[in-house]
Amino acid sequence: MDIIFHHPTFNPQFWIDGMQQQLPGARVRQWYPGDSQPADYALVWHPPVEMLSGRETLKGVFALGAGVDSILSKLQAYPDMLAQGVPLFRLEDTGMALQMQEYAVSQVLHWFRRFDDYQALKLQAKWLPLEDYRREDFTIGLLGAGVLGGKVAESLAAWGFPVRCWSRSKKEYPGVSSFAGAEQLDEFLNGTRVLINLLPNTPQTVGIINRQLLNKLADEAFVMNLARGVHLVENDLLAALESGKVKGAMLDVFAQEPLPAENPLWKHPRIAITPHLAAVTRPVEAMEYIAKTIRQIENGESPGGQVSLHHGY
């Protein structure tokens, strides 16, 4: 079994050694330009077109992250990059769900306990106890209800908040109300106080968090973007913050990364920013997951995590 590896920042030797431990007998190598030797599987992040092009014998390509939009965008420009029928897999969890839960729960509690307001008062040297928010008025809505979105929704429901999710198709998560399809989006938004975005990046979801959507949220809403920067229209968020419709925002992803120093998001007092770290790939867990999936493929089974090239996730 031959496996090729490419990642612009990961240590290739660490991954080569790790995958060989997970799959004894496998031949794992770092891919270099000009390498056209046989390969059964490819482990990639932002792969060059020539790495995958013409490899009709590939049994699987693994994106080394939860998102596959970088590969799908290249496929749009270079349709022959991936041979017909070669399955594309994403990392469904591998420790990312727990990280997303930590991030989302900590920030929701920060807003719910009004720590943002107390920080603003602190900067004015004001000692002023504020009225508590009520859980029943603090409905949390998840845009996107896949593996990560479902885990985040369940973790927030455990804190007693009203939690709802919206996705392409209806989902069943304990303690979570489910909405699906364009026809139920307005109903989902109505009364949502905290909007958390975990949507996949598809042509249909680009720019979805815009002026029209924000205006349908509850007054003094909060927005958390943990998916992709292209989902959010930044100027519309700034306008909603200035009008008071949105009270605060937590942003982890941006249309341009790193976020340029001159971007006005940096200076807004009610926007918190982190550098795309809400959930990162944990190499050991990822290698265990990939090795398990490869063994299933080799045994003729149908593993989870395969991406629909039509839907984009």
Side-chain angles (χ1 to χ4, degrees), residues 66-98:
V68 293
D69 40 300
S70 68
I71 296 177
L72 296 180
S73 63
K74 282 194 174 181
L75 276 173
Q76 289 183 345
Y78 304 96
D80 296 331
M81 183 180 79
L82 201 60
Q84 188 74 24
V86 173
L88 174 63
F89 296 91
R90 57 183 171 84
L91 303 184
E92 283 199 313
D93 186 344
T94 64
M96 283 184 275
L98 179 58

Side-chain angles (χ1 to χ4, degrees), residues 268-291:
H268 199 288
R270 286 182 284 125
I271 295 177
I273 287 174
T274 51
H276 203 147
L277 50 67
V280 299
T281 301
R282 301 295 193 202
V284 173
E285 291 93 331
M287 285 188 274
E288 290 174 350
Y289 176 85
I290 293 169

Side-chain angles (χ1 to χ4, degrees), residues 114-169:
R114 305 196 67 170
F115 292 149
D116 55 335
D117 292 323
Y118 286 118
Q119 177 64 15
L121 290 171
K122 178 257 184 185
L123 295 175
Q124 303 172 54
K126 285 188 178 180
W127 183 283
L128 180 62
L130 300 172
E131 183 179 355
D132 290 342
Y133 289 141
R134 302 188 308 167
R135 271 179 168 75
E136 54 266 35
D137 299 328
F138 218 72
T139 297
I140 301 167
L142 276 293
L143 278 174
V147 173
L148 296 181
K151 293 292 186 182
V152 171
E154 290 179 358
S155 67
L156 288 164
W159 283 88
F161 293 107
V163 180
R164 56 180 64 164
C165 65
W166 179 84
S167 56
R168 186 177 60 87
S169 57

Side-chain angles (χ1 to χ4, degrees), residues 178-195:
S178 179
F179 298 80
E183 64 277 5
Q184 289 193 317
L185 181 57
D186 284 358
E187 185 181 358
F188 161 82
L189 295 169
N190 183 32
T192 291
R193 184 70 183 278
V194 179
L195 183 73

